[in-house]
Amino acid sequence: MHAELLAAMAGKGADLVAAHRFTPETLAELHYPLDRARAYASEAARRSGADRPPSLTAFERLLEAYGEFCAVADEARRAPAAGAEAVRAAAERVRERAAETHRALVAEGRLALRS
């Protein structure tokens, strides 16, 4: 669920940047699910110990990509020359990492394959 939400939020943020409607309040809205997902990942890592599943590593890569997306989106808000294209590329990396996380969960039998 976290992976899908982060991908959706990245899409929303990219759309707002493209429409010149990204505000400081939007950045706070984007950071909330990141903070929650980081807390979840931290707890999952603690429970996993040395036996970390590949899906957790994939999820942590997703969190890194989403954090980078937030930084790029904020830069585009503060300096529009950074542009919507950089934000779209960062959002695409988030979607790719979310898909990687999903595939890892499926491979581990923790999630059903999407049809």
Side-chain angles (χ1 to χ4, degrees), residues 14-83:
D15 289 346
L16 289 172
V17 167
H20 305 287
R21 295 182 51 216
F22 193 90
T23 66
E25 291 78 20
T26 305
L27 186 61
E29 182 182 343
L30 293 178
H31 271 280
Y32 179 75
L34 177 59
D35 295 341
R36 301 290 298 160
R38 283 178 174 158
Y40 174 82
S42 177
E43 178 61 22
R46 186 191 65 73
R47 284 192 319 262
S48 299
D51 190 27
R52 294 171 55 90
S55 60
L56 180 55
T57 300
F59 186 61
E60 289 170 337
R61 287 173 37 99
L62 166 60
L63 297 181
E64 182 179 308
Y66 187 82
E68 291 168 2
F69 164 78
C70 289
V72 170
D74 190 38
E75 180 63 27
R77 175 190 61 83
R78 291 183 289 119

Side-chain angles (χ1 to χ4, degrees), residues 77-93:
R77 175 190 61 83
R78 291 183 289 119
E85 187 54 40
V87 174
R88 287 250 177 247
E92 181 58 30
R93 284 190 295 279

